[in-house]
Amino acid sequence: MCGIIGYTGSAQVLPILLDGLAMLEYRGYDSAGVAVVAGDGAGAVRVVKREGKLSELRAALQGQRINGTAGLGHTRWATHGPPSDRNAHPHLDAGGDIAVIHNGIFENYALLKAELVDQGHDFASDTDTEVVAHLIGTLLDALDGDLPAAVGAALARVEGAFSIAVVDRRNPDVIVAAKRQAPLVLGHLDGASLLASDVTGLVAHTRDVEALLDDQLAVLTPAGIRVTDLQGNPAQGQRFRVDWDVAAAEKAGYAHFMLKEIHEQPAAVRATLLGRTDAAGAITLDELRGDGDDLRHVDKVYVVACGTSYHAGMVAKYAIEHWARVPVEVEIASEFRYRDPILDQHTLVVAISQSGETADTIAAAAHASDQRAKVVAITNVVGSTLARAADAVLYTRAGPEIAVASTKAFTTQIVALDIFALWLAQLKRVLFPDECRDQLARLESLPPLIEQVLEQEPHIAGLAEQFADAGYVMFIGRHVGLPIALEGALKLKEISYLHAEGFAAGEMKHGPIALIDQGGPVVAMATKGHVRHKVVSNIAEVKARGAVVLAVATEGDTEIKEHADHVVYVPEVHELLYPVLTVVPLQLLAYHIAVRLGRDVDQPRNLAKTVTVE
C-alpha cells in the first residue's frame, strides 16, 4: 500500500524524494516522511515526518537546510498504529544511526519486539517497522558494520509480506533494499541508483527498471546496483524498460487525476486492443509459457479478483461462458483459497489485478498453481509479481492510473477479458477464426463510442447536482448490467462517502425495495438486450414507491422516457460490450457528486491504490 522512494547519487536528494513522493502519494496519505544521510561518515541521518498528506511534510521542511545525496522517502497507509507523527516513517534504530522505510506487514513483530524489550530497547512508535529497524541495528553491531548482511539476517527472521529500504549514517552513499510478496522496483542510470514501490516514482529519472524478486536484496550505490539473495549470493531481478513517461502521470490541465483518467479511456482501450492478432489473424496473448495446448482441455474457469477488478471479472463470466462455452465462477480473491476450492490440471484461474501486486489475488493464484491449475494474469504492470507467477499474461496497457478510484483500469480489464474469452474460444475451437475476428472488430469499435458518451459530461454533471444531497443511492441492473450497477455504487461510495448499493434488479422484491422512499434516487441499467423489458418492469416497481429514476439506456430508446425521470444514452453495441460504455456515465456521476460535496476525489479517506497486505 505505502509509497517508497530512495535515491543515492550526486544530486541533492531531498527534492528528488519529495517529487517522488508526490508521484506515489496515491498509495497512502496518512503521513509522510524523509530520511537524508549527511554527506560525511561522521554525520547523521536526518529524519523529518508528519501526519497528514505530503503538503504537511513540505510545510515542515520549509526553511530547513537538509543536505545530502542519499536518502529515503515514504508516504503511509496505516496498518500498525494510527496515523500520527510518531508512527510516520522513516523509523530509526536504537542508536539513531539507521533509518528504515517499509511497505507491508511484519507478522511476527510482537515476538521480535518482546525479545528486544528484554534486551533493553525502548520504542517510540506503535509500528512493526520500528521493531525491524532496531533488529537491524542490533545485528549490524554483531556483523562488524556489514549493512547488507545485517538486513539479510534480520529479514531471515521476519514473517509476512514486505518491501523495505534501509540507510545507515556510517555508509552514507549506500541504500539496502529487499522484498517479499510486496512490490519494489529499482531504477538504473549513470551515476545514481533509485528504488520505488512502483515505476511511477522512477519515470522522471529513468526508463531502465528492474523488478526485485521475492527474498532478494539490493545494494544501491551511485556506481550501480548489486542484487543478491538474503544470504548474499549473487542474483538478478527482472529488467525491463518503461514505455510511458512522467507526462502520462500528470494532470494535464484536468482538475483531478480521476477526471483525466475517465477521459483517457478511449485511448486506453485502443492500447489494450492494439496488435492482438498474429500474421495469420489468430488472437494472441502477451505472454504464454508453453504452446497453450494444455489449456485446450480446460473444463472450468475461476475468475479471482478484488474490488473493481472483481466487477470486471463478473462481466467476464458472461463473455467466457457465451463465447468459449466453459462454466465460470467469479470469486473474491480474499475468500478463494480459504474455502478449499476444487482445482485440478483442467482448471483455469484468471487472476485480475491492476497493479499485479494485490496480495489476496497473488495468494489466490499461488494456491491455484499449488493445486496444478493453470493461471492467466490480467494486469497493467509488466514485471509485476502476478505476471511473473502466471502461466499466461494479458496486459491491459492502460498506462499509469493515479486516482485511487479505478476508472480506465476497469474498462481496459473488461476489454482484455473479452479478448481472453475470444482467445479461449479460438483455442477450444468453439468459434471459427472469422467469428473471433468479427467479435474483435466489434471491440475495436468501442473507443470512438466511449468518446460519444464522454460528450454527455455536462448533462451528467447537472444530474449530479440533483443527486448530491441524497442520503442513499441505489443502483440496479440485470445480466451484464448487474456488475456495472455494483461498480457504479462502489465508485460513488468510494469518493463521495454517500451510502450507495448495487442490486440485481430481479431481487428488488425480495428485500431491497424496502429501502425505497419518496424521492430516493435509483440508477437503472436499461440498455437494449434480452432482459431490457425485465429491467423496465423493475423501474416501474421502484417508481411506484416514490423513487426518482436515472436510466442508462441505448440511443433511440425513446420509450424509456415514459418510465424514467432522467436518461443518459449510450450507443448501441453487442449486448456483451455494453459495460465498457455504461460504466462511463456512472464514473462521471460519482466524480461530479464528490466534487460538489467537496470531497478529496483522488485520495479518498481510508483508501489506497494498491492493497499489498491481506
Side-chain angles (χ1 to χ4, degrees):
M1 311 272 261
C2 305
I4 286 175
I5 186 74
Y7 170 91
T8 177
S10 59
Q12 284 296 308
V13 72
L14 186 58
I16 295 171
L17 297 180
L18 292 175
D19 289 346
L21 289 179
M23 300 300 294
L24 294 168
E25 193 177 14
Y26 65 92
R27 298 184 63 92
Y29 32 87
D30 294 331
S31 59
V34 293
V36 176
V37 186
D40 56 40
V45 178
R46 182 81 180 274
V47 173
V48 180
K49 51 187 183 176
R50 288 293 184 275
E51 178 185 356
K53 296 190 176 182
L54 183 58
S55 57
E56 298 297 323
L57 175 63
R58 288 187 184 276
L61 289 167
Q62 284 290 329
Q64 296 197 42
R65 296 185 63 183
I66 301 179
N67 297 315
T69 58
L72 306 173
H74 188 273
T75 181
R76 182 177 187 237
W77 189 85
T79 52
H80 292 78
S84 65
D85 288 356
R86 64 192 294 269
N87 288 329
H89 295 213
H91 290 284
L92 297 170
D93 73 325
D97 299 317
I98 293 169
V100 175
I101 55 175
H102 160 228
N103 170 33
I105 294 176
F106 296 120
E107 294 176 354
N108 61 334
Y109 84 100
L111 178 63
L112 296 171
K113 186 174 184 177
E115 292 179 8
L116 291 164
V117 168
D118 287 345
Q119 296 171 20
H121 288 249
D122 294 319
F123 292 90
S125 76
D126 307 311
T127 67
D128 53 344
T129 310
E130 188 187 9
V131 174
V132 173
H134 281 236
L135 178 61
I136 293 170
T138 299
L139 291 168
L140 188 64
D141 292 338
L143 292 167
D144 298 324
D146 187 336
L147 184 62
V151 173
L155 296 183
R157 294 199 59 194
V158 304
E159 299 171 3
F162 58 82
S163 55
I164 186 173
V166 184
V167 293
D168 172 22
R169 72 170 180 84
R170 294 154 293 192
N171 297 272
D173 62 353
V174 175
I175 301 174
V176 177
K179 64 148 286 187
R180 180 185 300 156
Q181 299 176 12
L184 192 67
V185 289
L186 312 172
H188 296 264
L189 66 161
D190 292 338
S193 300
L194 296 104
L195 63 84
S197 44
D198 67 52
V199 295
T200 309
L202 301 180
V203 291
H205 305 282
T206 182
R207 309 287 186 87
D208 186 2
V209 174
E210 181 174 3
L212 206 60
L213 305 182
D214 283 349
D215 289 314
Q216 288 185 339
L217 183 146
V219 180
L220 290 76
T221 70
I225 300 174
R226 176 170 57 91
V227 177
T228 70
D229 62 18
L230 295 184
Q231 291 72 45
N233 301 306
Q236 185 174 345
Q238 184 177 43
R239 293 284 284 266
F240 59 95
R241 287 192 65 79
V242 179
D243 59 3
W244 51 268
D245 59 25
V246 70
E250 295 176 344
K251 290 181 183 176
Y254 287 91
H256 298 93
F257 280 112
M258 182 180 179
L259 185 61
K260 172 178 177 278
E261 288 155 8
I262 289 171
H263 281 269
E264 286 176 339
Q265 287 176 114
V269 169
R270 285 190 184 96
T272 304
L273 288 161
L274 188 64
R276 290 303 181 184
T277 56
D278 62 17
I283 295 172
T284 60
L285 303 182
D286 290 300
E287 297 175 11
L288 179 62
R289 293 149 180 87
D291 59 10
D293 279 347
D294 48 354
L295 297 177
R296 182 170 289 131
H297 304 292
V298 163
D299 58 16
K300 181 67 174 289
V301 174
Y302 287 95
V303 179
V304 294
C306 303
T308 285
S309 296
Y310 173 73
H311 298 153
M314 293 179 68
V315 176
K317 173 182 171 69
Y318 296 98
I320 296 169
E321 290 186 342
H322 179 77
W323 285 327
R325 307 307 295 166
V326 181
V328 178
E329 293 187 33
V330 187
E331 305 232 11
I332 296 171
S334 58
E335 295 294 325
F336 179 68
R337 69 192 190 280
Y338 295 117
R339 70 165 188 80
D340 194 21
I342 300 171
L343 306 167
D344 60 26
Q345 68 270 29
H346 300 305
T347 307
L348 176 62
V349 172
V350 179
I352 314 169
S353 167
Q354 186 278 142
S355 66
E357 304 294 348
T358 306
D360 290 316
T361 305
I362 291 169
H367 178 74
S369 295
D370 290 343
Q371 302 299 312
R372 299 183 298 161
K374 297 297 182 182
V375 175
V376 173
I378 308 293
T379 182
N380 192 36
V381 181
V382 176
S384 60
T385 301
L386 184 62
R388 295 195 304 270
D391 299 289
V393 186
L394 208 161
Y395 292 111
T396 58
R397 308 172 185 164
E401 188 178 66
I402 305 302
V404 167
S406 181
T407 53
K408 66 176 180 176
F410 178 69
T411 49
T412 55
Q413 283 172 352
I414 293 174
V415 171
L417 287 159
D418 284 344
I419 294 167
F420 166 75
L422 292 171
W423 177 84
L424 187 61
Q426 169 188 275
L427 183 71
K428 294 179 71 66
R429 297 170 184 163
V430 177
L431 295 180
F432 291 110
D434 59 340
E435 291 178 302
C436 290
R437 286 192 290 270
D438 287 345
Q439 297 299 341
L440 189 61
R442 286 175 168 169
L443 286 167
E444 290 168 345
S445 73
L446 287 172
L449 303 183
I450 300 171
E451 291 170 352
Q452 291 180 36
V453 180
L454 288 167
E455 290 171 1
Q456 300 182 69
E457 183 176 358
H459 172 49
I460 296 166
L463 295 172
E465 291 188 18
Q466 299 181 49
F467 286 7
D469 294 329
Y472 172 76
V473 182
M474 181 180 290
F475 293 75
I476 61 173
R478 287 177 180 254
H479 195 244
V480 291
L482 171 57
I484 301 308
L486 296 172
E487 176 63 12
L490 177 61
K491 281 292 144 299
L492 186 58
K493 71 181 75 174
E494 278 182 313
I495 63 172
S496 75
Y497 317 147
L498 292 182
H499 184 193
E501 291 185 86
F503 294 105
E507 288 295 295
M508 292 297 293
K509 61 181 70 68
H510 297 287
I513 202 167
L515 296 169
I516 299 296
D517 57 13
Q518 192 66 38
V522 174
V523 180
M525 314 312 297
T527 48
K528 186 177 180 180
H530 71 288
V531 296
R532 178 197 170 277
H533 66 290
K534 299 282 189 182
V535 176
V536 171
S537 295
N538 301 133
I539 291 173
E541 291 169 356
V542 298
K543 282 287 292 178
R545 287 155 179 84
V548 173
V549 176
L550 164 60
V552 180
T554 304
E555 284 179 352
D557 184 357
T558 55
E559 188 256 348
I560 195 68
K561 294 180 178 179
E562 299 174 11
H563 306 282
D565 300 278
H566 310 282
V567 182
V568 173
Y569 286 111
V570 299
E572 183 173 353
V573 291
H574 185 287
E575 187 170 10
L576 290 175
L577 306 189
Y578 272 116
V580 177
L581 302 181
T582 54
V583 73
V584 176
L586 306 191
Q587 295 168 346
L588 289 168
L589 183 69
Y591 171 80
H592 284 286
I593 288 175
V595 169
R596 182 169 177 80
L597 293 173
R599 309 303 192 209
D600 189 336
V601 173
D602 288 335
Q603 298 177 346
R605 67 189 182 198
N606 302 332
L607 299 178
K609 184 66 177 174
T610 305
V611 182
T612 56
V613 295
E614 184 177 358

